[in-house]
Amino acid sequence: MNDEQLLRYSRHILLNELGIEGQERLRSAHALVIGAGGLGSPAALYLASAGIGVLTLVDGDRVDLTNLQRQVLHTTDRIGMPKPASGQVALTALNPDVHIERVERRVEGAALDPLVARASIVLDCSDNFATRHAVNRACVTHRRPLVSGAAVRFDGQVATFDLRNPESPCYACLFPPGDGEDELCSVMGVFAPVTGIIGTVQAAEALKLAAGITTGLSSRLLILDALTMQWHSVRVPRDPQCPVCAGH
Ligand SMILES: [Zn+2]
């Protein structure tokens, strides 16, 4: 690190759990952020400010006026721009050290494989079950840690699956594929700060995983009710019959 980087990251370097070594680990990490919306915005902003080395932003949508109430990566003058391009403007202004890669299309199924394989950490900031299951499948296949978030109305959820560990449960152990209706978050209300809170927890988890700090959220689902502002968490057991991770 040069002098400017030592200053930029000085408040991290002062942390015993991080130090220069941990900060160097962040710089050599590659985070894949699926979705540059309500969750992906705070997640990407903190990953970039904290000095993640490479950040790949995946989103097929363009910035829309209805996004701006919560998607703080984007601005009024960037309405109409592809979200990854808009995100790159914000993230590069915040920290030019971070290498940003843009994938400006919706990525599903096998197309996720090369993206997940190249990343060291995956953040699922998407808004639908089909994408969540596809991302989980690719993370199980390539043994990449997955930090999965969701936010709708006043409710938030976040879970970490450290799939580098063969004993870890996966997202499908918790929510079996084809179980329940898609939430259609795109047409439901969402209280703006809930996406900020959950996306920020996702960034914290991803940064700890990247820095080699033990995460207490591994194999737990953390649930937020932002109306009463109460958190609770449940353990996620591995499902030996899971159609995705059993046998992996
Ligand atoms: Zn599973």
Side-chain angles (χ1 to χ4, degrees):
M1 271 185 276
N2 59 33
D3 287 352
E4 197 182 312
Q5 289 166 328
L6 289 169
L7 282 175
R8 180 185 284 271
Y9 305 120
S10 57
R11 298 307 189 274
H12 259 176
I13 292 167
L14 285 168
L15 294 170
N16 290 334
E17 293 80 356
L18 270 167
I20 288 187
E21 197 184 326
Q23 192 63 44
E24 293 282 10
R25 284 201 196 110
L26 295 184
R27 194 158 65 138
S28 60
H30 180 165
L32 173 64
V33 178
I34 312 278
L39 300 170
S41 287
L45 284 166
Y46 275 108
L47 291 171
S49 72
I52 202 92
V54 183
L55 199 162
T56 300
L57 270 182
V58 182
D59 204 304
D61 291 341
R62 287 171 181 269
V63 179
D64 181 88
L65 181 58
T66 61
N67 301 150
L68 299 181
Q69 160 253 20
R70 64 201 176 284
Q71 300 184 15
V72 295
L73 200 52
H74 311 300
T75 54
T76 307
D77 64 344
R78 297 202 291 272
I79 287 174
M81 194 184 278
K83 286 187 182 178
S86 167
Q88 184 174 30
V89 172
L91 299 172
T92 303
L94 180 58
N95 188 350
D97 284 349
V98 180
H99 179 70
I100 310 291
E101 295 185 351
R102 309 188 314 254
V103 179
E104 293 176 344
R105 59 182 192 281
R106 192 175 162 143
V107 179
E108 296 173 308
L112 277 164
D113 280 314
L115 291 173
V116 169
R118 284 184 57 234
S120 47
I121 298 192
V122 179
L123 292 88
D124 185 354
C125 302
S126 70
D127 62 357
N128 66 87
F129 273 124
T131 302
R132 283 190 195 139
H133 279 295
V135 171
N136 176 61
R137 238 174 259 120
C139 288
V140 168
T141 300
H142 299 284
R143 294 206 178 285
R144 292 295 185 270
L146 168 64
V147 185
S148 182
V152 67
R153 295 183 289 260
F154 287 86
D155 301 319
Q157 292 183 347
V158 54
T160 297
F161 305 100
D162 190 351
L163 297 161
R164 297 172 298 189
N165 172 4
E167 303 301 312
S168 170
C170 80
Y171 180 81
C173 293
L174 177 62
F175 298 111
D179 207 39
E181 301 284 299
D182 209 324
E183 292 159 2
L184 290 173
C185 298
S186 53
V187 293
M188 287 174 101
V190 57
F191 186 50
V194 177
T195 58
I197 295 166
I198 298 297
T200 303
V201 173
Q202 288 183 269
E205 287 294 294
L207 289 167
K208 286 188 295 175
L209 287 161
I213 301 171
T214 308
T215 163
L217 190 58
S218 197
S219 307
R220 278 197 303 135
L221 175 70
L222 187 59
I223 299 161
L224 168 67
D225 176 347
L227 267 182
T228 59
M229 206 46 88
Q230 304 222 51
W231 294 87
H232 72 276
S233 83
V234 292
R235 276 208 63 75
V236 180
R238 187 165 197 222
D239 176 4
Q241 311 296 320
C242 174
V244 178
C245 71
H248 258 275

